[in-house]
Amino acid sequence: MLTKGNTAPMFYRILSRFPPNITFCFAYGSGVKQQLGQDAVQKKKNMIDMIFTVDNAHRWHASNLERNPDHYSGLKHLGSNFIAKYQESFGAKVFFNTLIPIPDEDVVIKYGVVCTRDLLDDLTTWSNLYLAGRLHKPVEIIRPASGSKIQNAIDANLRAAVHAALLLLPEKFTEFELYRAISNISYAGDFRMIFGENKDKVNNIVRPQLENFRNLYAPTLDHLGLVLQLPPQNSDNSICIQDQSEKTILHHLNNLPKWPIRRIVQKQTKGRYRQDTEDILTDVSKSTNYREIVSHCLRAIVWQSSVKQSIKNIPSAGMMKSVRYSWDKALKTFN
């Protein structure tokens, strides 16, 4: 994850247009990070995606409505209290304003607003795997976390991503396949991948950013030396080898966040007599199809949150912007 010192001054100028009480902010997506198949000119044309984390959504939207009323759809007429409740009530608990031109910078942005508590919940429990999934990948940190809680949650999210990816991978795999599996956690199951997204999106994200992925995951991978053998640095050998004993599989399962574990328990019991969670995970670790079980449960979380959030985004963007945004996505798919 890039540090504040590497951040382009443009991001700070953009941030200065908004109310200052933002506890954490990052930018992500093809307008920020290089993706395969796009040159610098194409990257410049892409919309910049940003996430603003705030402690009090009602207060923040009230202030932003005064500063930037044109950013909002017709929902602004219902007031900041309604917007805050709309943000926090369903979907991934993020409120997006999209296709916002910043003339002085010659860019267009989309920004999402999330409460600190909801970001922490997704990072630590994977309740939606929405913002947690975005933070599985290298992003541009514009305003670092103001306290240790968010940074600790980010670190926990990265550790969980590695445990999940190792459960989905075979005994031997390449370093690229490891980071692709991590990145794919939040894309597999996303209904938007059926249409409106490039089917090679995950590969295009990972290939040009291998070094950034290495830097992001180095602290986590260093602690898995007993169960994961990584290729030596500067070696032509890119093969990783993981231990797939029942004990290690159970260790990975136990280190998944709350909601994937809950989904696994629900899937395995199917309403029957509820066994102890540890007993169920032990049974899964001994099964030959544990990968399919884990994959199914992760996909279910992503599917549900992606559908609900996409429906939620239509009123917040307004019909005209929603149509334009979807059209632009579709065009990028076929280009």
Side-chain angles (χ1 to χ4, degrees):
M1 194 174 300
L2 296 184
T3 63
K4 181 179 178 182
N6 293 329
T7 303
M10 175 190 69
F11 288 115
Y12 299 126
R13 293 195 295 268
I14 292 175
L15 203 59
S16 70
R17 296 170 173 264
F18 295 92
N21 48 331
I22 294 173
T23 59
F24 175 60
C25 175
F26 66 92
Y28 64 96
S30 59
V32 179
K33 295 296 183 183
Q34 186 69 38
Q35 293 189 9
L36 206 63
Q38 69 171 20
D39 55 27
V41 175
Q42 290 172 312
K43 179 182 174 185
K44 175 70 174 177
K45 291 179 180 178
N46 288 336
M47 185 165 59
I48 294 173
D49 298 286
M50 303 174 72
I51 295 294
F52 301 158
T53 305
V54 302
D55 286 337
N56 187 307
H58 167 59
R59 191 179 303 149
W60 193 89
H61 284 295
S63 180
N64 197 42
L65 279 166
E66 292 182 0
R67 290 185 179 217
N68 303 299
D70 54 316
H71 290 188
Y72 291 82
S73 68
L75 293 183
K76 65 185 174 185
H77 300 299
L78 300 175
S80 58
N81 190 46
F82 175 87
I83 291 173
K85 288 181 177 178
Y86 188 74
Q87 172 187 312
E88 298 171 24
S89 295
F90 66 98
K93 300 184 178 179
V94 186
F95 185 95
F96 281 102
N97 284 325
T98 190
L99 294 171
I100 307 300
I102 310 293
D104 294 348
E105 306 295 342
D106 192 27
V107 297
V108 175
I109 70 170
K110 177 181 76 174
Y111 64 92
V113 184
V114 64
C115 282
T116 303
R117 63 177 179 276
D118 294 324
L119 174 64
L120 291 173
D121 180 63
D122 197 28
L123 289 173
T124 57
T125 74
W126 285 9
S127 53
N128 295 295
L129 261 173
Y130 194 83
L131 297 181
R134 281 151 179 76
L135 286 164
H136 286 164
K137 298 171 277 291
V139 299
E140 188 83 16
I141 300 297
I142 301 171
R143 179 163 294 171
S146 58
S148 60
K149 281 187 177 181
I150 293 179
Q151 188 57 55
N152 289 341
I154 289 172
D155 294 340
N157 181 47
L158 296 177
R159 290 193 296 270
V162 172
H163 288 294
L166 292 176
L167 285 166
L168 300 172
L169 287 164
E171 180 184 9
K172 295 182 180 181
F173 49 89
T174 64
E175 187 183 18
F176 167 75
E177 288 170 333
L178 170 62
Y179 298 131
R180 183 178 64 186
I182 289 172
S183 299
N184 198 48
I185 290 170
S186 59
Y187 283 116
D190 190 331
F191 92 101
R192 293 172 300 175
M193 295 301 290
I194 300 172
F195 65 94
E197 287 287 4
N198 188 327
K199 299 302 182 289
D200 292 324
K201 186 178 182 71
V202 177
N203 289 345
N204 294 345
I205 289 172
V206 177
R207 287 198 183 279
Q209 292 198 76
L210 271 175
E211 191 59 36
N212 286 337
F213 273 96
R214 289 189 189 109
N215 294 336
L216 184 60
Y217 283 96
T220 297
L221 296 175
D222 285 346
H223 287 89
L224 290 173
L226 294 177
V227 297
L228 177 63
Q229 179 183 328
L230 297 173
Q233 286 189 346
N234 303 319
S235 169
D236 293 334
N237 175 27
S238 65
I239 300 300
C240 308
I241 303 173
Q242 65 163 321
D243 175 29
Q244 290 193 310
S245 65
E246 292 175 6
K247 179 181 178 181
T248 298
I249 293 168
L250 180 58
H251 173 70
H252 293 319
L253 288 169
N254 276 317
N255 280 279
L256 292 177
K258 169 185 170 181
W259 278 102
I261 290 178
R262 183 172 291 185
R263 288 270 185 174
I264 291 172
V265 170
Q266 291 172 345
K267 177 175 172 56
Q268 295 306 104
T269 57
K270 295 179 180 177
R272 300 190 302 268
Y273 171 73
R274 294 299 179 100
Q275 297 171 261
D276 179 76
T277 296
E278 186 63 24
D279 291 339
I280 294 172
L281 295 183
T282 299
D283 290 343
V284 171
S285 71
K286 295 177 179 178
S287 68
T288 57
N289 66 330
Y290 70 87
R291 288 193 193 92
E292 289 77 10
I293 294 170
V294 173
S295 176
H296 172 86
C297 294
L298 294 174
R299 285 172 178 267
I301 294 172
V302 173
W303 173 267
Q304 186 176 49
S305 68
S306 66
V307 169
K308 289 182 177 179
Q309 184 65 40
S310 293
I311 294 171
K312 175 181 178 178
N313 288 346
I314 295 172
S316 63
M319 187 54 66
M320 292 301 295
K321 282 189 176 182
S322 294
V323 171
R324 180 183 162 192
Y325 181 75
S326 298
W327 178 251
D328 288 346
K329 281 281 189 181
L331 287 178
K332 287 173 67 176
T333 302
F334 296 110
N335 288 337

